[in-house]
Amino acid sequence: GFWTPLSGNPRLVVVLEMLVTASLVAEVVLKALVIGRAHLQSWAGALDTLVAALSALFLFLEAPLARFHSDVQQDVELSQSLVMLRIIAQFGRLLLLAEHAQRA
C-alpha cells in the first residue's frame, strides 16, 4: 500500500474501517427497508449490496483470520478499494441524474 498518516497505527485504521463498513451496511439495509425490493433489483442497488457484503466479508471474516498471516493489510486495502469503487459508482449515478434533470 501507500503511506498515509495512519500507517503507523494499524489498530486505528481497522477501527475506522469497521465504522465505514458498518455505515455502508446500515445505508444499504435502510435503503432496502425504505425503498423495498425495487432497490435490490436495480443495478445500483445490486452494486451497493454486493460492495457492502464484500466489504463486510473481507473486514470481519478475512482480516481477523489473517492475523496469523501477513495478509491483514491486503484485506483492509481490498475492503477500502471496494468502498472507493462504490463511491465512484454513486458519483457516476449522480452525474447521470444531473444530466437527465437538465434535459427535463
Side-chain angles (χ1 to χ4, degrees):
F2 51 89
W3 183 88
T4 66
L6 297 175
S7 295
N9 195 346
R11 182 169 287 177
L12 181 59
V13 171
V14 171
V15 168
L16 290 173
E17 182 67 19
M18 285 180 181
L19 289 173
V20 169
T21 301
S23 68
L24 178 63
V25 170
E27 178 187 341
V28 170
V29 168
L30 286 173
K31 280 184 180 179
L33 289 173
V34 171
I35 299 172
R37 188 171 277 258
H39 174 67
L40 298 175
Q41 292 174 342
S42 70
W43 69 270
L47 177 66
D48 286 350
T49 304
L50 179 67
V51 168
L54 288 176
S55 289
L57 178 74
F58 287 124
L59 180 66
F60 295 112
L61 295 180
E62 294 295 329
L65 293 176
R67 185 179 352 191
F68 303 107
H69 303 88
S70 62
D71 299 337
V72 174
Q73 187 64 28
Q74 290 176 348
D75 291 335
V76 169
E77 287 174 359
L78 180 58
S79 182
Q80 290 170 346
S81 298
L82 288 168
V83 171
M84 285 189 289
L85 172 69
R86 181 179 177 272
I87 291 169
I88 290 169
Q90 282 185 324
F91 185 70
R93 291 186 339 222
L94 182 63
L95 288 176
L96 290 174
L97 181 65
E99 182 179 320
H100 180 69
Q102 284 181 345
R103 288 183 189 169

